[in-house]
Amino acid sequence: MDKQVATAAEALADVVDGQSFAVGGFGLSGVPEVLIGALYESGARDLSVVSNNCGVDGRGLGVLLAAGRIARVTGSYIGDNKEFARQYLGGELEVELIPQGTLAERLRSGGCGIPAFFTPAGVGTLVEEGGLPWRYAADGSAALASPRKEVRVFDGREYVMERAITTDYALVRAARGDRHGNLVFHRAARNFNPLTAMAGRITVAEVEELVEPGELGPDEVHLPGVFVQRVVALTPEQAADKGIEKRTVRER
């Protein structure tokens, strides 16, 4: 039951090229930056990443992206990451953009053993019809495009079928956790983290505060330890290092 690993590097020591990773966070909130750093230091390449977005220039998954380590991204938006946009439009990166709620449910379904589901999101659009550019060619045309998806009618309404997502690894960040892998997320940092953790075959959690088993009450736990295989306790300095994607201050 003791899932604690001494370092992030040790937690990812068995990673090899070409593997897939679901990564928690939204913008820079709740991003497992220490684990991402360890993944960068491992030298692994040709990675497939599933995450709401791909970090920002210089932080989060943006570090792996800038180093050319990521081959494919499944996410909901590009945001202000200029390097992400450049690689995608330049044909260097394969990108599957999907509706945000659909991404959340695809991750959750993967963790629950549900192979596919039907949703009204995307019906009558390129999400259903196919043709969304996954990879661009040098001339700006679509070298690889999304396929048409199955549509069924339930109670007179059309729904498009979406496949569940599972990955080799999942990387998440939690505010508190114990050695059994039970996790608590802080406010907005909860975002995609619980769903991401469910989708990984091997889920690694970096935890800002590691507590003793039994200190977390059952009603406090956001994600039970059954979904977590490895836990890394952060140092106070690592826990305090949190980026702000868009700094906004009010006038005096």
mmCIF file of all heavy atoms in Angstrom, residues 160-200:
data_model
loop_
_atom_site.group_PDB
_atom_site.id
_atom_site.type_symbol
_atom_site.label_atom_id
_atom_site.label_comp_id
_atom_site.label_asym_id
_atom_site.label_seq_id
_atom_site.Cartn_x
_atom_site.Cartn_y
_atom_site.Cartn_z
ATOM 1 N N VAL A 160 -23.135 11.819 -31.524
ATOM 2 C CA VAL A 160 -21.918 11.333 -32.164
ATOM 3 C C VAL A 160 -21.161 10.443 -31.184
ATOM 4 O O VAL A 160 -21.152 10.691 -29.971
ATOM 5 C CB VAL A 160 -21.033 12.509 -32.624
ATOM 6 C CG1 VAL A 160 -20.550 13.337 -31.453
ATOM 7 C CG2 VAL A 160 -19.849 12.009 -33.446
ATOM 8 N N MET A 161 -20.550 9.381 -31.711
ATOM 9 C CA MET A 161 -19.819 8.456 -30.847
ATOM 10 C C MET A 161 -18.383 8.926 -30.647
ATOM 11 O O MET A 161 -17.692 9.299 -31.593
ATOM 12 C CB MET A 161 -19.798 7.047 -31.453
ATOM 13 C CG MET A 161 -19.241 6.004 -30.479
ATOM 14 S SD MET A 161 -19.131 4.330 -31.158
ATOM 15 C CE MET A 161 -17.623 4.472 -32.129
ATOM 16 N N GLU A 162 -17.939 8.893 -29.392
ATOM 17 C CA GLU A 162 -16.568 9.255 -29.044
ATOM 18 C C GLU A 162 -15.913 8.085 -28.313
ATOM 19 O O GLU A 162 -16.529 7.454 -27.462
ATOM 20 C CB GLU A 162 -16.547 10.496 -28.137
ATOM 21 C CG GLU A 162 -17.049 11.763 -28.805
ATOM 22 C CD GLU A 162 -16.024 12.380 -29.733
ATOM 23 O OE1 GLU A 162 -14.888 11.839 -29.843
ATOM 24 O OE2 GLU A 162 -16.336 13.414 -30.346
ATOM 25 N N ARG A 163 -14.655 7.811 -28.653
ATOM 26 C CA ARG A 163 -13.915 6.727 -28.019
ATOM 27 C C ARG A 163 -13.284 7.190 -26.712
ATOM 28 O O ARG A 163 -12.847 8.326 -26.582
ATOM 29 C CB ARG A 163 -12.812 6.227 -28.964
ATOM 30 C CG ARG A 163 -13.323 5.627 -30.271
ATOM 31 C CD ARG A 163 -14.005 4.298 -30.056
ATOM 32 N NE ARG A 163 -13.111 3.319 -29.455
ATOM 33 C CZ ARG A 163 -12.308 2.509 -30.155
ATOM 34 N NH1 ARG A 163 -12.291 2.587 -31.478
ATOM 35 N NH2 ARG A 163 -11.538 1.637 -29.542
ATOM 36 N N ALA A 164 -13.208 6.287 -25.754
ATOM 37 C CA ALA A 164 -12.553 6.586 -24.480
ATOM 38 C C ALA A 164 -11.048 6.726 -24.683
ATOM 39 O O ALA A 164 -10.483 6.261 -25.681
ATOM 40 C CB ALA A 164 -12.841 5.481 -23.469
ATOM 41 N N ILE A 165 -10.404 7.389 -23.732
ATOM 42 C CA ILE A 165 -8.955 7.584 -23.770
ATOM 43 C C ILE A 165 -8.305 6.864 -22.596
ATOM 44 O O ILE A 165 -8.706 7.038 -21.445
ATOM 45 C CB ILE A 165 -8.585 9.079 -23.702
ATOM 46 C CG1 ILE A 165 -9.020 9.800 -24.986
ATOM 47 C CG2 ILE A 165 -7.083 9.258 -23.476
ATOM 48 C CD1 ILE A 165 -8.801 11.298 -24.938
ATOM 49 N N THR A 166 -7.299 6.048 -22.900
ATOM 50 C CA THR A 166 -6.408 5.506 -21.887
ATOM 51 C C THR A 166 -4.977 5.766 -22.355
ATOM 52 O O THR A 166 -4.716 5.832 -23.554
ATOM 53 C CB THR A 166 -6.610 3.991 -21.659
ATOM 54 O OG1 THR A 166 -6.457 3.306 -22.907
ATOM 55 C CG2 THR A 166 -7.986 3.710 -21.089
ATOM 56 N N THR A 167 -4.060 5.925 -21.408
ATOM 57 C CA THR A 167 -2.675 6.226 -21.746
ATOM 58 C C THR A 167 -1.731 5.343 -20.934
ATOM 59 O O THR A 167 -2.132 4.736 -19.937
ATOM 60 C CB THR A 167 -2.350 7.706 -21.460
ATOM 61 O OG1 THR A 167 -2.649 7.994 -20.090
ATOM 62 C CG2 THR A 167 -3.158 8.635 -22.358
ATOM 63 N N ASP A 168 -0.480 5.293 -21.369
ATOM 64 C CA ASP A 168 0.516 4.505 -20.643
ATOM 65 C C ASP A 168 0.726 5.076 -19.241
ATOM 66 O O ASP A 168 0.828 4.330 -18.261
ATOM 67 C CB ASP A 168 1.846 4.498 -21.407
ATOM 68 C CG ASP A 168 1.734 3.812 -22.755
ATOM 69 O OD1 ASP A 168 1.156 2.711 -22.810
ATOM 70 O OD2 ASP A 168 2.213 4.376 -23.758
ATOM 71 N N TYR A 169 0.821 6.409 -19.155
ATOM 72 C CA TYR A 169 1.046 7.094 -17.881
ATOM 73 C C TYR A 169 0.059 8.242 -17.731
ATOM 74 O O TYR A 169 -0.438 8.786 -18.726
ATOM 75 C CB TYR A 169 2.464 7.681 -17.797
ATOM 76 C CG TYR A 169 3.571 6.669 -17.689
ATOM 77 C CD1 TYR A 169 4.075 6.051 -18.831
ATOM 78 C CD2 TYR A 169 4.122 6.333 -16.456
ATOM 79 C CE1 TYR A 169 5.100 5.117 -18.747
ATOM 80 C CE2 TYR A 169 5.150 5.407 -16.360
ATOM 81 C CZ TYR A 169 5.629 4.800 -17.507
ATOM 82 O OH TYR A 169 6.642 3.877 -17.412
ATOM 83 N N ALA A 170 -0.188 8.611 -16.489
ATOM 84 C CA ALA A 170 -0.903 9.847 -16.179
ATOM 85 C C ALA A 170 -0.076 10.590 -15.132
ATOM 86 O O ALA A 170 0.431 9.984 -14.185
ATOM 87 C CB ALA A 170 -2.303 9.568 -15.646
ATOM 88 N N LEU A 171 0.063 11.902 -15.332
ATOM 89 C CA LEU A 171 0.821 12.749 -14.418
ATOM 90 C C LEU A 171 -0.104 13.808 -13.852
ATOM 91 O O LEU A 171 -0.747 14.540 -14.611
ATOM 92 C CB LEU A 171 1.993 13.424 -15.141
ATOM 93 C CG LEU A 171 2.914 12.520 -15.971
ATOM 94 C CD1 LEU A 171 4.023 13.352 -16.612
ATOM 95 C CD2 LEU A 171 3.500 11.394 -15.121
ATOM 96 N N VAL A 172 -0.199 13.875 -12.513
ATOM 97 C CA VAL A 172 -1.110 14.827 -11.886
ATOM 98 C C VAL A 172 -0.421 15.509 -10.713
ATOM 99 O O VAL A 172 0.601 15.039 -10.205
ATOM 100 C CB VAL A 172 -2.412 14.142 -11.408
ATOM 101 C CG1 VAL A 172 -3.147 13.509 -12.577
ATOM 102 C CG2 VAL A 172 -2.123 13.094 -10.332
ATOM 103 N N ARG A 173 -1.027 16.625 -10.280
ATOM 104 C CA ARG A 173 -0.536 17.349 -9.104
ATOM 105 C C ARG A 173 -1.682 17.514 -8.124
ATOM 106 O O ARG A 173 -2.790 17.913 -8.500
ATOM 107 C CB ARG A 173 0.009 18.715 -9.493
ATOM 108 C CG ARG A 173 0.538 19.509 -8.291
ATOM 109 C CD ARG A 173 1.280 20.735 -8.739
ATOM 110 N NE ARG A 173 1.863 21.471 -7.627
ATOM 111 C CZ ARG A 173 3.068 22.021 -7.643
ATOM 112 N NH1 ARG A 173 3.824 21.902 -8.716
ATOM 113 N NH2 ARG A 173 3.521 22.688 -6.603
ATOM 114 N N ALA A 174 -1.400 17.214 -6.853
ATOM 115 C CA ALA A 174 -2.414 17.321 -5.805
ATOM 116 C C ALA A 174 -1.903 18.197 -4.676
ATOM 117 O O ALA A 174 -0.694 18.299 -4.439
ATOM 118 C CB ALA A 174 -2.788 15.944 -5.270
ATOM 119 N N ALA A 175 -2.825 18.833 -3.959
ATOM 120 C CA ALA A 175 -2.453 19.658 -2.817
ATOM 121 C C ALA A 175 -2.053 18.792 -1.628
ATOM 122 O O ALA A 175 -1.078 19.081 -0.923
ATOM 123 C CB ALA A 175 -3.602 20.579 -2.437
ATOM 124 N N ARG A 176 -2.811 17.727 -1.400
ATOM 125 C CA ARG A 176 -2.525 16.816 -0.288
ATOM 126 C C ARG A 176 -2.702 15.379 -0.771
ATOM 127 O O ARG A 176 -3.467 15.102 -1.689
ATOM 128 C CB ARG A 176 -3.450 17.076 0.903
ATOM 129 C CG ARG A 176 -3.429 18.489 1.447
ATOM 130 C CD ARG A 176 -4.455 18.667 2.553
ATOM 131 N NE ARG A 176 -4.044 17.976 3.778
ATOM 132 C CZ ARG A 176 -4.883 17.548 4.709
ATOM 133 N NH1 ARG A 176 -6.193 17.701 4.541
ATOM 134 N NH2 ARG A 176 -4.437 16.964 5.807
ATOM 135 N N GLY A 177 -1.994 14.478 -0.119
ATOM 136 C CA GLY A 177 -2.126 13.071 -0.450
ATOM 137 C C GLY A 177 -1.444 12.225 0.597
ATOM 138 O O GLY A 177 -0.659 12.723 1.407
ATOM 139 N N ASP A 178 -1.749 10.933 0.594
ATOM 140 C CA ASP A 178 -1.077 10.021 1.511
ATOM 141 C C ASP A 178 -0.338 8.947 0.725
ATOM 142 O O ASP A 178 -0.400 8.897 -0.510
ATOM 143 C CB ASP A 178 -2.066 9.417 2.518
ATOM 144 C CG ASP A 178 -3.180 8.604 1.868
ATOM 145 O OD1 ASP A 178 -2.967 8.086 0.745
ATOM 146 O OD2 ASP A 178 -4.256 8.467 2.476
ATOM 147 N N ARG A 179 0.359 8.077 1.438
ATOM 148 C CA ARG A 179 1.182 7.055 0.779
ATOM 149 C C ARG A 179 0.346 5.989 0.088
ATOM 150 O O ARG A 179 0.862 5.212 -0.706
ATOM 151 C CB ARG A 179 2.117 6.412 1.806
ATOM 152 C CG ARG A 179 3.171 7.354 2.353
ATOM 153 C CD ARG A 179 4.280 6.572 3.056
ATOM 154 N NE ARG A 179 3.768 5.679 4.086
ATOM 155 C CZ ARG A 179 3.543 6.030 5.345
ATOM 156 N NH1 ARG A 179 3.764 7.288 5.736
ATOM 157 N NH2 ARG A 179 3.086 5.163 6.227
ATOM 158 N N HIS A 180 -0.948 5.947 0.371
ATOM 159 C CA HIS A 180 -1.838 5.017 -0.315
ATOM 160 C C HIS A 180 -2.313 5.559 -1.664
ATOM 161 O O HIS A 180 -2.968 4.843 -2.419
ATOM 162 C CB HIS A 180 -3.057 4.704 0.557
ATOM 163 C CG HIS A 180 -2.715 3.965 1.813
ATOM 164 N ND1 HIS A 180 -3.627 3.724 2.820
ATOM 165 C CD2 HIS A 180 -1.551 3.407 2.237
ATOM 166 C CE1 HIS A 180 -3.041 3.061 3.809
ATOM 167 N NE2 HIS A 180 -1.783 2.867 3.476
ATOM 168 N N GLY A 181 -2.022 6.823 -1.935
ATOM 169 C CA GLY A 181 -2.412 7.416 -3.204
ATOM 170 C C GLY A 181 -3.714 8.176 -3.176
ATOM 171 O O GLY A 181 -4.168 8.669 -4.215
ATOM 172 N N ASN A 182 -4.343 8.311 -2.016
ATOM 173 C CA ASN A 182 -5.557 9.122 -1.914
ATOM 174 C C ASN A 182 -5.173 10.596 -2.075
ATOM 175 O O ASN A 182 -4.234 11.064 -1.434
ATOM 176 C CB ASN A 182 -6.233 8.904 -0.559
ATOM 177 C CG ASN A 182 -6.666 7.467 -0.374
ATOM 178 O OD1 ASN A 182 -7.395 6.921 -1.189
ATOM 179 N ND2 ASN A 182 -6.201 6.836 0.698
ATOM 180 N N LEU A 183 -5.909 11.326 -2.908
ATOM 181 C CA LEU A 183 -5.508 12.684 -3.259
ATOM 182 C C LEU A 183 -6.612 13.702 -3.008
ATOM 183 O O LEU A 183 -7.801 13.402 -3.157
ATOM 184 C CB LEU A 183 -5.112 12.757 -4.736
ATOM 185 C CG LEU A 183 -3.994 11.823 -5.222
ATOM 186 C CD1 LEU A 183 -3.753 12.032 -6.709
ATOM 187 C CD2 LEU A 183 -2.715 12.013 -4.415
ATOM 188 N N VAL A 184 -6.178 14.914 -2.657
ATOM 189 C CA VAL A 184 -7.064 16.070 -2.509
ATOM 190 C C VAL A 184 -6.497 17.191 -3.361
ATOM 191 O O VAL A 184 -5.294 17.483 -3.301
ATOM 192 C CB VAL A 184 -7.149 16.527 -1.033
ATOM 193 C CG1 VAL A 184 -8.029 17.775 -0.914
ATOM 194 C CG2 VAL A 184 -7.693 15.407 -0.158
ATOM 195 N N PHE A 185 -7.349 17.825 -4.155
ATOM 196 C CA PHE A 185 -6.928 18.917 -5.026
ATOM 197 C C PHE A 185 -7.458 20.244 -4.490
ATOM 198 O O PHE A 185 -8.528 20.292 -3.891
ATOM 199 C CB PHE A 185 -7.425 18.675 -6.450
ATOM 200 C CG PHE A 185 -6.974 17.354 -7.015
ATOM 201 C CD1 PHE A 185 -7.803 16.243 -6.953
ATOM 202 C CD2 PHE A 185 -5.727 17.209 -7.576
ATOM 203 C CE1 PHE A 185 -7.392 15.016 -7.447
ATOM 204 C CE2 PHE A 185 -5.297 15.993 -8.081
ATOM 205 C CZ PHE A 185 -6.131 14.891 -8.019
ATOM 206 N N HIS A 186 -6.706 21.314 -4.735
ATOM 207 C CA HIS A 186 -7.071 22.615 -4.182
ATOM 208 C C HIS A 186 -7.822 23.447 -5.213
ATOM 209 O O HIS A 186 -7.273 23.857 -6.229
ATOM 210 C CB HIS A 186 -5.812 23.359 -3.742
ATOM 211 C CG HIS A 186 -6.094 24.684 -3.084
ATOM 212 N ND1 HIS A 186 -6.784 24.796 -1.898
ATOM 213 C CD2 HIS A 186 -5.780 25.946 -3.457
ATOM 214 C CE1 HIS A 186 -6.871 26.070 -1.558
ATOM 215 N NE2 HIS A 186 -6.282 26.786 -2.489
ATOM 216 N N ARG A 187 -9.094 23.672 -4.961
ATOM 217 C CA ARG A 187 -9.914 24.590 -5.745
ATOM 218 C C ARG A 187 -9.763 24.374 -7.251
ATOM 219 O O ARG A 187 -9.972 23.293 -7.761
ATOM 220 C CB ARG A 187 -9.625 26.031 -5.319
ATOM 221 C CG ARG A 187 -10.023 26.284 -3.856
ATOM 222 C CD ARG A 187 -9.821 27.727 -3.441
ATOM 223 N NE ARG A 187 -10.241 27.918 -2.057
ATOM 224 C CZ ARG A 187 -10.142 29.066 -1.400
ATOM 225 N NH1 ARG A 187 -9.627 30.143 -2.011
ATOM 226 N NH2 ARG A 187 -10.549 29.152 -0.153
ATOM 227 N N ALA A 188 -9.377 25.435 -7.976
ATOM 228 C CA ALA A 188 -9.330 25.350 -9.439
ATOM 229 C C ALA A 188 -8.311 24.332 -9.932
ATOM 230 O O ALA A 188 -8.405 23.847 -11.067
ATOM 231 C CB ALA A 188 -9.024 26.726 -10.044
ATOM 232 N N ALA A 189 -7.318 23.989 -9.104
ATOM 233 C CA ALA A 189 -6.314 23.007 -9.514
ATOM 234 C C ALA A 189 -6.895 21.599 -9.619
ATOM 235 O O ALA A 189 -6.224 20.687 -10.109
ATOM 236 C CB ALA A 189 -5.145 23.012 -8.542
ATOM 237 N N ARG A 190 -8.138 21.451 -9.188
ATOM 238 C CA ARG A 190 -8.794 20.149 -9.331
ATOM 239 C C ARG A 190 -9.058 19.857 -10.806
ATOM 240 O O ARG A 190 -8.892 18.721 -11.254
ATOM 241 C CB ARG A 190 -10.105 20.169 -8.537
ATOM 242 C CG ARG A 190 -10.799 18.830 -8.404
ATOM 243 C CD ARG A 190 -11.949 18.968 -7.413
ATOM 244 N NE ARG A 190 -12.736 17.757 -7.277
ATOM 245 C CZ ARG A 190 -13.759 17.620 -6.437
ATOM 246 N NH1 ARG A 190 -14.100 18.643 -5.666
ATOM 247 N NH2 ARG A 190 -14.435 16.497 -6.364
ATOM 248 N N ASN A 191 -9.477 20.853 -11.559
ATOM 249 C CA ASN A 191 -9.760 20.821 -13.005
ATOM 250 C C ASN A 191 -9.740 19.419 -13.636
ATOM 251 O O ASN A 191 -10.587 18.589 -13.349
ATOM 252 C CB ASN A 191 -8.850 21.806 -13.750
ATOM 253 C CG ASN A 191 -7.379 21.651 -13.454
ATOM 254 O OD1 ASN A 191 -6.789 20.605 -13.641
ATOM 255 N ND2 ASN A 191 -6.764 22.745 -12.988
ATOM 256 N N PHE A 192 -8.760 19.153 -14.494
ATOM 257 C CA PHE A 192 -8.703 17.868 -15.190
ATOM 258 C C PHE A 192 -7.950 16.797 -14.405
ATOM 259 O O PHE A 192 -7.865 15.654 -14.867
ATOM 260 C CB PHE A 192 -8.032 18.049 -16.560
ATOM 261 C CG PHE A 192 -8.968 18.483 -17.646
ATOM 262 C CD1 PHE A 192 -9.270 19.825 -17.822
ATOM 263 C CD2 PHE A 192 -9.554 17.565 -18.501
ATOM 264 C CE1 PHE A 192 -10.133 20.236 -18.819
ATOM 265 C CE2 PHE A 192 -10.415 17.962 -19.505
ATOM 266 C CZ PHE A 192 -10.713 19.303 -19.660
ATOM 267 N N ASN A 193 -7.385 17.124 -13.261
ATOM 268 C CA ASN A 193 -6.505 16.182 -12.585
ATOM 269 C C ASN A 193 -7.158 14.850 -12.203
ATOM 270 O O ASN A 193 -6.598 13.790 -12.487
ATOM 271 C CB ASN A 193 -5.859 16.849 -11.373
ATOM 272 C CG ASN A 193 -4.599 17.601 -11.739
ATOM 273 O OD1 ASN A 193 -3.663 17.015 -12.271
ATOM 274 N ND2 ASN A 193 -4.566 18.891 -11.461
ATOM 275 N N PRO A 194 -8.333 14.830 -11.561
ATOM 276 C CA PRO A 194 -8.917 13.523 -11.214
ATOM 277 C C PRO A 194 -9.225 12.659 -12.432
ATOM 278 O O PRO A 194 -8.973 11.448 -12.421
ATOM 279 C CB PRO A 194 -10.205 13.904 -10.465
ATOM 280 C CG PRO A 194 -9.973 15.294 -9.975
ATOM 281 C CD PRO A 194 -9.140 15.948 -11.020
ATOM 282 N N LEU A 195 -9.736 13.270 -13.494
ATOM 283 C CA LEU A 195 -10.081 12.515 -14.701
ATOM 284 C C LEU A 195 -8.825 12.008 -15.390
ATOM 285 O O LEU A 195 -8.783 10.887 -15.904
ATOM 286 C CB LEU A 195 -10.885 13.395 -15.660
ATOM 287 C CG LEU A 195 -12.144 14.046 -15.070
ATOM 288 C CD1 LEU A 195 -12.770 14.998 -16.074
ATOM 289 C CD2 LEU A 195 -13.137 12.968 -14.654
ATOM 290 N N THR A 196 -7.791 12.857 -15.401
ATOM 291 C CA THR A 196 -6.517 12.456 -15.982
ATOM 292 C C THR A 196 -5.949 11.248 -15.257
ATOM 293 O O THR A 196 -5.478 10.283 -15.869
ATOM 294 C CB THR A 196 -5.519 13.628 -15.915
ATOM 295 O OG1 THR A 196 -5.995 14.693 -16.749
ATOM 296 C CG2 THR A 196 -4.138 13.210 -16.379
ATOM 297 N N ALA A 197 -5.994 11.292 -13.928
ATOM 298 C CA ALA A 197 -5.458 10.185 -13.130
ATOM 299 C C ALA A 197 -6.170 8.877 -13.427
ATOM 300 O O ALA A 197 -5.550 7.800 -13.419
ATOM 301 C CB ALA A 197 -5.575 10.520 -11.640
ATOM 302 N N MET A 198 -7.460 8.937 -13.699
ATOM 303 C CA MET A 198 -8.236 7.735 -13.967
ATOM 304 C C MET A 198 -7.831 7.068 -15.273
ATOM 305 O O MET A 198 -7.946 5.848 -15.417
ATOM 306 C CB MET A 198 -9.724 8.080 -14.000
ATOM 307 C CG MET A 198 -10.293 8.538 -12.674
ATOM 308 S SD MET A 198 -11.990 9.156 -12.812
ATOM 309 C CE MET A 198 -12.869 7.640 -13.215
ATOM 310 N N ALA A 199 -7.337 7.859 -16.234
ATOM 311 C CA ALA A 199 -7.081 7.343 -17.580
ATOM 312 C C ALA A 199 -5.738 6.647 -17.720
ATOM 313 O O ALA A 199 -5.512 5.945 -18.711
ATOM 314 C CB ALA A 199 -7.178 8.482 -18.599
ATOM 315 N N GLY A 200 -4.820 6.830 -16.778
ATOM 316 C CA GLY A 200 -3.487 6.277 -16.923
ATOM 317 C C GLY A 200 -3.381 4.844 -16.416
ATOM 318 O O GLY A 200 -3.941 4.489 -15.376
#
